[in-house]
Amino acid sequence: MAIKSLSFGAFVLAILFGASDCAWAQKKDPQVRISALKGLDWLASEQHRQGYWEANGGQYRVAMTALAGNAMLCEGSTTTRGKYSKNISLAVDYLLEMSQPNGLIGYKNDYHYTYGHGFSMLFLSQVFGEEEDARRRDRLKEVLTKAVQFCGEAQTAAGGWGYVSAKDGNDFDEGSTCVTQVQGLRACRNSGIPVPKEVIDRAVEYINKCTASDGGVQYSIRGGGSRPPITAAAIACLFNSGEANDDALAKKLLKYCEEKIVGSGNQSQFFGHWHYTHYYYAQVQYRLGDDKWAKYFPEIAKEIMRKQSANGAWKEGHVGPVYTTAMNCTILLIENGYLPIYQR
């Protein structure tokens, strides 16, 4: 359709989104953004003055801070511009302070510190790409460079990662932590931080070895059964690692997910990992193009908005409302396309 034949509203959408995306843009539900902003407003109100967020029981401060800050970046704010600029800036400062001499972003005595480390690499690298302050940019580069080095040294002999480094965890590996590391590494690489290719290659081979005959990714290289949440995350991991959408392994994993992850209902088999599943599966569906996204997103957005509390938070799950709210806001805002790591 030629631009001159569009209505004025459609013409504006064509300018904003491109003519090919205009039809989908016109179908967007304004309530989705309203819901996401309510969630982000709640997150902003829950941030501690030192800059961090935390899960239930005061746990996982580093991981929660990175996830909440990343959700705010998805809205379009940066450290210097936008509604949540102050919140993002405080979160960045907190995570920079959490950088240890060995490169770990987090606490050595946190028995799940690789989650926080991976999510922090993701968040800080997205900030690094837009940071205007020269001193903070230099500090971000230093912290991220050391974080990448720590991540490589923490990789297990099998090519994966565990809840802690291979040295601290007796070479134990676990699928979900592998994904956070690969996505964080890819985000760092996208922003110009050197990342050894062999680290990513070994991680992709690890996912291959963890893939069972049914197409699902197991909990660990040692077994544990195929898991839909980890499989969805693994596809996102493959896309982030540079594997093409038509890669044979990615296709195999996607077929498994399409059979097991059936929209918003019938999710009880995920044992409380619904948000984790769709946090990654939404990334996969968005990367696959408008046809897939137009079928997936309206249903999942409706389910997310249905469960939102009056104060803007989402309160399901044992980890706590910061976790579920940050993940849900990211899903609702992912198609904004502000963050390179989520772009098609």
Side-chain angles (χ1 to χ4, degrees), residues 42-43 46 53-65 67-68 110-112 115-116 119 163 176 270-277 314-327:
W42 180 84
L43 283 173
E46 291 294 305
W53 284 270
E54 57 189 12
N56 285 342
Q59 298 185 87
Y60 312 131
R61 289 182 179 179
V62 173
M64 295 304 106
T65 301
L67 284 170
D110 177 357
Y111 62 96
H112 283 93
Y115 283 121
F119 289 136
Y163 299 125
S176 65
F270 298 162
F271 302 106
H273 297 303
W274 189 93
H275 299 90
Y276 175 93
T277 302
W314 283 270
K315 299 180 179 179
E316 315 102 290
H318 66 281
V319 180
V322 169
Y323 173 75
T324 50
T325 302
M327 285 199 154

Side-chain angles (χ1 to χ4, degrees), residues 169-214:
N170 295 317
D171 211 39
F172 170 80
D173 65 80
E174 189 272 345
S176 65
T177 53
C178 178
V179 174
T180 60
Q181 305 317 296
V182 172
Q183 193 165 66
L185 289 170
R186 179 63 183 184
C188 286
R189 183 179 176 185
N190 286 349
S191 65
I193 304 298
V195 176
K197 183 178 183 297
E198 59 269 21
V199 175
I200 302 296
D201 289 344
R202 292 182 64 221
V204 172
E205 182 59 25
Y206 169 82
I207 293 173
N208 203 349
K209 290 178 180 177
C210 286
T211 302
S213 58
D214 63 357

Side-chain angles (χ1 to χ4, degrees), residues 288-321:
L288 290 173
D290 280 345
D291 288 345
K292 290 279 189 181
W293 186 244
K295 293 176 182 178
Y296 167 83
F297 183 69
E299 183 178 0
I300 210 66
K302 182 179 179 180
E303 178 71 5
I304 288 172
M305 292 188 292
R306 183 180 69 82
K307 295 181 178 179
Q308 189 172 24
S309 301
N311 67 357
W314 283 270
K315 299 180 179 179
E316 315 102 290
H318 66 281
V319 180

Side-chain angles (χ1 to χ4, degrees), residues 197-265:
K197 183 178 183 297
E198 59 269 21
V199 175
I200 302 296
D201 289 344
R202 292 182 64 221
V204 172
E205 182 59 25
Y206 169 82
I207 293 173
N208 203 349
K209 290 178 180 177
C210 286
T211 302
S213 58
D214 63 357
V217 177
Q218 300 178 137
Y219 171 73
S220 168
I221 199 79
R222 299 169 178 82
S226 297
R227 307 286 178 91
I230 294 178
T231 307
I235 303 172
C237 175
L238 290 173
F239 286 174
N240 292 148
S241 68
E243 300 299 307
N245 293 12
D246 59 356
D247 175 78
L249 178 58
K251 277 187 173 182
K252 185 176 183 180
L253 270 55
L254 183 60
K255 184 176 185 296
Y256 172 86
C257 284
E258 288 173 342
E259 294 172 353
K260 301 295 183 181
I261 304 175
V262 285
S264 60

